[in-house]
Amino acid sequence: MKIKIASFLVFIFFTRLGFSQESTAPTNLPKYDVIPLHFGMSLGFNYMDFTIHNSSAFWVLDSIYSVENIPQVGLNINIVSNYNIPYSNFSLRFLPGLNLGQRNLEYWVKKDTTYYSHTMKIESTFLDFPILLEYKGARINNFRPYLIAGGSFKIDLASQKRIRDDERPKIRLSRLSYYYELGFGTDFFLEYFKFAMELKYVVGINNVLVRDNTQYTQAIERMNSKMLMLSFTFEGSDIRIFKFGKRKG
Protein backbone atom coordinates (compact mmCIF):
# COMPACT_ATOMS: atom_id res chain seq x y z
CA MET A 1 0.00 0.00 0.00
CA LYS A 2 2.84 2.40 0.90
CA ILE A 3 4.56 1.65 -2.43
CA LYS A 4 1.36 2.43 -4.35
CA ILE A 5 0.92 5.76 -2.54
CA ALA A 6 4.56 6.71 -3.13
CA SER A 7 4.28 5.76 -6.83
CA PHE A 8 1.15 7.90 -7.17
CA LEU A 9 2.87 10.91 -5.58
CA VAL A 10 5.90 10.54 -7.85
CA PHE A 11 3.59 10.24 -10.89
CA ILE A 12 1.79 13.48 -9.93
CA PHE A 13 5.12 15.21 -9.38
CA PHE A 14 6.54 14.21 -12.76
CA THR A 15 3.30 15.17 -14.49
CA ARG A 16 3.46 18.59 -12.90
CA LEU A 17 7.13 18.91 -13.81
CA GLY A 18 6.57 17.96 -17.42
CA PHE A 19 3.46 19.99 -18.19
CA SER A 20 4.18 23.14 -16.20
CA GLN A 21 5.93 24.95 -19.02
CA GLU A 22 3.61 27.95 -19.18
CA SER A 23 4.59 30.29 -16.37
CA THR A 24 3.84 33.89 -15.60
CA ALA A 25 6.42 36.41 -14.48
CA PRO A 26 7.68 35.72 -10.94
CA THR A 27 6.65 38.22 -8.30
CA ASN A 28 9.23 37.40 -5.60
CA LEU A 29 13.03 37.16 -6.10
CA PRO A 30 12.82 37.52 -9.91
CA LYS A 31 16.63 37.45 -10.32
CA TYR A 32 17.20 34.52 -7.97
CA ASP A 33 18.50 32.09 -10.63
CA VAL A 34 20.81 34.69 -12.18
CA ILE A 35 22.90 34.85 -9.00
CA PRO A 36 25.34 31.88 -9.13
CA LEU A 37 25.76 31.19 -5.41
CA HIS A 38 23.15 30.74 -2.69
CA PHE A 39 23.54 29.81 0.96
CA GLY A 40 21.15 28.71 3.63
CA MET A 41 20.12 26.25 6.31
CA SER A 42 18.19 22.97 6.21
CA LEU A 43 16.32 21.40 9.14
CA GLY A 44 14.31 18.22 9.10
CA PHE A 45 13.55 14.70 10.20
CA ASN A 46 14.92 11.29 9.24
CA TYR A 47 13.57 7.78 9.53
CA MET A 48 16.62 5.57 10.04
CA ASP A 49 16.45 1.92 9.08
CA PHE A 50 18.51 -1.14 8.09
CA THR A 51 18.33 -3.61 5.24
CA ILE A 52 19.35 -6.97 6.77
CA HIS A 53 20.39 -10.07 4.82
CA ASN A 54 20.51 -13.24 6.87
CA SER A 55 23.61 -15.38 6.56
CA SER A 56 23.61 -19.01 5.48
CA ALA A 57 24.63 -19.87 9.05
CA PHE A 58 21.42 -18.33 10.41
CA TRP A 59 19.44 -21.54 9.93
CA VAL A 60 21.92 -23.70 11.85
CA LEU A 61 22.53 -21.39 14.81
CA ASP A 62 21.39 -22.78 18.13
CA SER A 63 20.31 -19.60 19.92
CA ILE A 64 19.22 -16.93 17.38
CA TYR A 65 15.65 -17.45 16.21
CA SER A 66 14.99 -14.15 14.36
CA VAL A 67 16.34 -10.63 13.83
CA GLU A 68 14.03 -7.65 13.24
CA ASN A 69 14.96 -4.00 12.69
CA ILE A 70 12.73 -1.31 14.20
CA PRO A 71 13.20 2.15 12.57
CA GLN A 72 13.20 5.31 14.68
CA VAL A 73 12.72 9.02 13.93
CA GLY A 74 15.71 11.38 14.16
CA LEU A 75 16.80 14.92 13.29
CA ASN A 76 18.85 16.51 10.48
CA ILE A 77 20.74 19.82 10.49
CA ASN A 78 22.58 20.87 7.33
CA ILE A 79 24.28 23.95 5.88
CA VAL A 80 23.31 24.62 2.25
CA SER A 81 25.71 25.76 -0.48
CA ASN A 82 24.13 25.95 -3.93
CA TYR A 83 25.80 26.74 -7.27
CA ASN A 84 23.56 27.44 -10.27
CA ILE A 85 25.17 25.96 -13.39
CA PRO A 86 25.01 28.69 -16.09
CA TYR A 87 22.62 28.33 -19.05
CA SER A 88 20.93 25.22 -17.64
CA ASN A 89 18.23 24.05 -15.25
CA PHE A 90 20.79 22.31 -13.06
CA SER A 91 22.34 23.24 -9.72
CA LEU A 92 25.17 21.64 -7.77
CA ARG A 93 24.51 21.41 -4.04
CA PHE A 94 26.77 20.65 -1.07
CA LEU A 95 25.00 20.20 2.28
CA PRO A 96 27.38 19.25 5.13
CA GLY A 97 25.65 18.61 8.41
CA LEU A 98 24.56 16.24 11.18
CA ASN A 99 22.12 13.31 11.14
CA LEU A 100 21.01 12.24 14.62
CA GLY A 101 19.03 9.06 15.04
CA GLN A 102 18.60 5.54 16.34
CA ARG A 103 17.71 2.09 15.03
CA ASN A 104 16.69 -0.86 17.21
CA LEU A 105 17.50 -4.47 16.49
CA GLU A 106 15.21 -6.99 18.17
CA TYR A 107 16.67 -10.48 18.50
CA TRP A 108 14.56 -13.45 19.50
CA VAL A 109 16.88 -15.75 21.37
CA LYS A 110 16.36 -19.37 22.37
CA LYS A 111 17.66 -20.47 25.76
CA ASP A 112 17.04 -24.07 26.66
CA THR A 113 13.40 -24.53 25.63
CA THR A 114 12.20 -20.93 26.02
CA TYR A 115 12.40 -17.86 23.78
CA TYR A 116 12.98 -14.28 24.89
CA SER A 117 13.59 -10.98 23.09
CA HIS A 118 16.68 -8.82 23.35
CA THR A 119 16.58 -5.26 21.93
CA MET A 120 19.78 -3.50 20.88
CA LYS A 121 19.50 0.29 20.67
CA ILE A 122 21.90 1.36 17.91
CA GLU A 123 22.46 5.13 18.16
CA SER A 124 24.10 7.02 15.31
CA THR A 125 25.48 10.56 15.08
CA PHE A 126 26.49 11.04 11.46
CA LEU A 127 28.71 13.75 10.07
CA ASP A 128 26.99 14.01 6.69
CA PHE A 129 28.68 15.12 3.43
CA PRO A 130 26.24 14.94 0.49
CA ILE A 131 26.96 16.28 -3.02
CA LEU A 132 23.78 16.50 -5.10
CA LEU A 133 22.67 17.53 -8.57
CA GLU A 134 19.33 19.32 -8.75
CA TYR A 135 17.14 19.60 -11.84
CA LYS A 136 14.69 22.50 -11.62
CA GLY A 137 11.31 22.50 -13.33
CA ALA A 138 9.62 25.54 -14.83
CA ARG A 139 8.86 28.28 -12.35
CA ILE A 140 5.19 29.22 -11.97
CA ASN A 141 4.93 32.55 -10.20
CA ASN A 142 6.49 31.75 -6.80
CA PHE A 143 6.37 27.95 -7.07
CA ARG A 144 8.80 25.47 -8.68
CA PRO A 145 9.21 21.66 -8.43
CA TYR A 146 12.58 19.96 -8.67
CA LEU A 147 14.32 16.58 -8.70
CA ILE A 148 17.54 15.77 -6.89
CA ALA A 149 20.10 12.95 -7.04
CA GLY A 150 23.65 12.31 -5.92
CA GLY A 151 25.80 10.61 -3.33
CA SER A 152 27.18 11.09 0.14
CA PHE A 153 29.49 9.65 2.72
CA LYS A 154 28.86 9.70 6.45
CA ILE A 155 31.09 9.36 9.51
CA ASP A 156 29.35 7.77 12.50
CA LEU A 157 30.71 9.47 15.61
CA ALA A 158 28.79 7.06 17.86
CA SER A 159 30.25 3.88 16.34
CA GLN A 160 33.24 3.86 18.71
CA LYS A 161 31.20 4.77 21.77
CA ARG A 162 31.89 2.59 24.81
CA ILE A 163 29.25 -0.13 25.30
CA ARG A 164 27.98 -0.18 28.87
CA ASP A 165 27.60 -3.46 30.70
CA ASP A 166 23.82 -3.08 30.90
CA GLU A 167 23.66 -2.74 27.06
CA ARG A 168 25.45 -5.99 26.31
CA PRO A 169 25.25 -7.92 24.08
CA LYS A 170 25.39 -5.21 21.41
CA ILE A 171 26.87 -5.11 17.92
CA ARG A 172 28.92 -2.28 16.45
CA LEU A 173 28.64 -0.43 13.14
CA SER A 174 31.49 0.67 10.89
CA ARG A 175 32.60 4.28 11.19
CA LEU A 176 32.38 5.12 7.46
CA SER A 177 29.40 4.50 5.18
CA TYR A 178 28.54 5.48 1.59
CA TYR A 179 25.16 6.26 0.04
CA TYR A 180 23.28 7.24 -3.08
CA GLU A 181 20.41 9.68 -2.71
CA LEU A 182 17.24 10.34 -4.73
CA GLY A 183 14.44 12.77 -4.03
CA PHE A 184 12.11 15.55 -5.09
CA GLY A 185 10.87 18.79 -3.62
CA THR A 186 9.11 22.09 -4.09
CA ASP A 187 10.55 25.62 -3.95
CA PHE A 188 8.46 28.51 -2.65
CA PHE A 189 9.84 31.97 -3.42
CA LEU A 190 9.02 34.37 -0.60
CA GLU A 191 9.77 38.08 -0.37
CA TYR A 192 13.28 37.87 1.08
CA PHE A 193 14.27 34.19 0.80
CA LYS A 194 13.40 30.86 -0.79
CA PHE A 195 11.70 28.15 1.26
CA ALA A 196 11.72 24.50 0.12
CA MET A 197 10.25 21.19 1.24
CA GLU A 198 12.12 18.07 0.15
CA LEU A 199 11.63 14.31 0.50
CA LYS A 200 14.71 12.16 -0.11
CA TYR A 201 15.49 8.44 -0.02
CA VAL A 202 19.05 7.60 1.10
CA VAL A 203 20.36 4.06 0.47
CA GLY A 204 23.61 2.68 1.90
CA ILE A 205 26.07 0.95 -0.43
CA ASN A 206 28.57 -0.71 1.92
CA ASN A 207 28.09 -3.31 4.64
CA VAL A 208 28.11 -1.49 8.01
CA LEU A 209 28.19 -4.57 10.25
CA VAL A 210 31.34 -5.02 12.35
CA ARG A 211 31.80 -8.71 13.01
CA ASP A 212 32.65 -10.20 16.37
CA ASN A 213 32.76 -13.76 17.68
CA THR A 214 29.12 -13.91 18.76
CA GLN A 215 26.09 -15.46 17.10
CA TYR A 216 24.52 -11.99 16.94
CA THR A 217 26.74 -11.07 13.99
CA GLN A 218 27.04 -14.62 12.61
CA ALA A 219 23.29 -14.53 11.93
CA ILE A 220 23.72 -11.58 9.53
CA GLU A 221 25.47 -11.79 6.16
CA ARG A 222 25.15 -8.12 5.26
CA MET A 223 23.56 -5.03 6.81
CA ASN A 224 23.08 -1.74 4.95
CA SER A 225 21.89 1.56 6.35
CA LYS A 226 19.04 3.46 4.74
CA MET A 227 16.85 6.38 5.67
CA LEU A 228 13.98 8.55 4.53
CA MET A 229 14.62 12.28 5.01
CA LEU A 230 12.12 15.14 5.11
CA SER A 231 13.83 18.55 5.00
CA PHE A 232 12.77 22.20 5.24
CA THR A 233 15.28 24.53 3.60
CA PHE A 234 15.75 28.29 3.84
CA GLU A 235 18.00 29.93 1.22
CA GLY A 236 18.81 33.55 0.32
CA SER A 237 20.28 35.19 -2.76
CA ASP A 238 23.56 35.38 -0.87
CA ILE A 239 24.81 35.12 2.68
CA ARG A 240 23.16 38.44 3.58
CA ILE A 241 19.90 36.57 4.17
CA PHE A 242 21.03 36.28 7.79
CA LYS A 243 21.31 40.08 8.13
CA PHE A 244 17.60 40.70 7.50
CA GLY A 245 18.35 43.19 4.75
CA LYS A 246 15.84 44.35 2.17
CA ARG A 247 17.64 42.76 -0.74
CA LYS A 248 15.12 41.38 -3.22
CA GLY A 249 16.20 39.29 -6.22
Side-chain angles (χ1 to χ4, degrees):
M1 187 64 178
K2 292 181 180 179
I3 295 176
K4 291 182 179 179
I5 294 173
S7 301
F8 176 74
L9 292 175
V10 171
F11 172 77
I12 294 297
F13 180 83
F14 275 98
T15 302
R16 184 84 179 191
L17 189 69
F19 292 97
S20 298
Q21 299 303 317
E22 296 183 3
S23 59
T24 60
T27 57
N28 293 330
L29 304 177
K31 299 180 182 179
Y32 188 87
D33 292 323
V34 178
I35 301 172
L37 287 175
H38 303 285
F39 303 94
M41 179 72 70
S42 179
L43 305 172
F45 303 95
N46 64 64
Y47 191 63
M48 286 193 181
D49 200 356
F50 287 121
T51 298
I52 297 177
H53 302 274
N54 293 335
S55 71
S56 57
F58 177 83
W59 310 108
V60 296
L61 293 174
D62 295 329
S63 60
I64 305 301
Y65 179 71
S66 70
V67 183
E68 297 180 6
N69 52 308
I70 305 172
Q72 304 291 315
V73 176
L75 298 175
N76 307 316
I77 305 173
N78 294 82
I79 298 172
V80 179
S81 300
N82 183 92
Y83 173 68
N84 289 325
I85 300 174
Y87 311 109
S88 73
N89 291 329
F90 291 93
S91 295
L92 191 63
R93 296 171 67 80
F94 178 53
L95 298 92
L98 284 174
N99 305 149
L100 310 174
Q102 177 179 308
R103 291 154 291 186
N104 295 344
L105 291 179
E106 185 176 29
Y107 283 81
W108 279 94
V109 183
K110 181 181 179 182
K111 185 175 182 180
D112 297 328
T113 58
T114 60
Y115 293 90
Y116 68 94
S117 65
H118 173 70
T119 301
M120 298 182 186
K121 297 180 179 181
I122 312 295
E123 301 92 354
S124 289
T125 302
F126 289 118
L127 287 177
D128 185 25
F129 300 96
I131 299 178
L132 305 168
L133 187 66
E134 177 185 306
Y135 175 74
K136 296 169 286 191
R139 179 172 173 176
I140 307 172
N141 294 326
N142 297 314
F143 162 85
R144 179 174 66 194
Y146 65 88
L147 300 173
I148 200 160
S152 65
F153 74 92
K154 304 179 191 292
I155 302 173
D156 191 351
L157 300 179
S159 63
Q160 304 301 313
K161 181 180 176 181
R162 179 180 174 273
I163 300 176
R164 302 192 309 268
D165 291 338
D166 61 318
E167 295 178 309
R168 297 180 184 276
K170 185 175 182 179
I171 65 174
R172 288 192 179 274
L173 304 181
S174 61
R175 188 172 177 82
L176 288 176
S177 52
Y178 307 91
Y179 302 80
Y180 66 83
E181 306 190 1
L182 299 169
F184 63 92
T186 302
D187 289 329
F188 298 95
F189 294 86
L190 306 180
E191 187 174 1
Y192 298 118
F193 63 93
K194 185 187 74 172
F195 170 72
M197 293 188 297
E198 179 179 296
L199 185 64
K200 186 169 59 176
Y201 188 46
V202 182
V203 182
I205 299 172
N206 62 312
N207 183 12
V208 296
L209 177 67
V210 175
R211 298 198 172 279
D212 53 29
N213 294 322
T214 69
Q215 295 194 23
Y216 293 94
T217 59
Q218 293 175 9
I220 300 173
E221 177 67 27
R222 183 180 180 87
M223 188 164 68
N224 297 74
S225 292
K226 62 181 179 181
M227 63 180 75
L228 193 65
M229 303 177 73
L230 176 64
S231 301
F232 303 94
T233 302
F234 306 85
E235 294 179 59
S237 296
D238 55 27
I239 202 167
R240 278 173 285 181
I241 183 178
F242 301 109
K243 296 183 180 180
F244 302 98
K246 294 185 178 181
R247 181 178 179 89
K248 187 176 181 179

